[in-house]
Amino acid sequence: MSTATPDRTGARTDEAADVITGARERIDTLDDRIIGLVQERMAVSAVIQEARITSGGRRVNLSREMEVLGHYREALGKPGTALAMTLLELCRGRI
């Protein structure tokens, strides 16, 4: 007997519903890991900003941000740039 519900998955067979349910569980696990990594990135970014500010520097280093944007764009294409912008905003706030 299937553990998945075709109505919930949009699948038309129990077999497909099982595949979708398993894959969604994997995605949920990956999303939890991604969220944890973003939170860790935010904490590390806060340390960097604090060090920069207490040394008399600016909160944001635009040349470094351009490096990050380029890295994400090269790895993921145009959507990578949007993802990097979101990460930068989460980590340093809006500028």
Side-chain angles (χ1 to χ4, degrees):
M1 177 178 264
S2 171
T3 59
T5 306
D7 290 342
R8 189 164 191 309
T9 64
R12 295 183 182 251
T13 66
D14 286 343
E15 294 79 16
D18 286 340
V19 168
I20 292 167
T21 298
R24 284 181 177 171
E25 289 171 1
R26 178 80 172 119
I27 285 174
D28 290 344
T29 298
L30 290 168
D31 284 343
D32 288 342
R33 288 174 52 197
I34 291 166
I35 290 166
L37 289 169
V38 169
Q39 290 170 332
E40 183 178 348
R41 190 187 195 288
M42 291 169 67
V44 172
S45 181
V47 169
I48 292 168
Q49 287 181 52
E50 179 66 24
R52 191 180 298 123
I53 291 167
T54 58
S55 74
R58 299 176 64 167
R59 181 174 62 94
V60 176
N61 181 332
L62 294 178
S63 64
R64 173 61 181 154
E65 290 199 358
M66 294 307 293
E67 289 176 22
V68 172
L69 291 170
H71 180 70
Y72 275 79
R73 183 179 55 253
E74 288 173 21
L76 302 172
K78 187 176 178 181
T81 303
L83 176 60
M85 287 297 296
T86 299
L87 282 171
L88 290 169
E89 185 174 332
L90 282 168
C91 291
R92 53 107 163 102
R94 297 191 76 136
I95 53 173

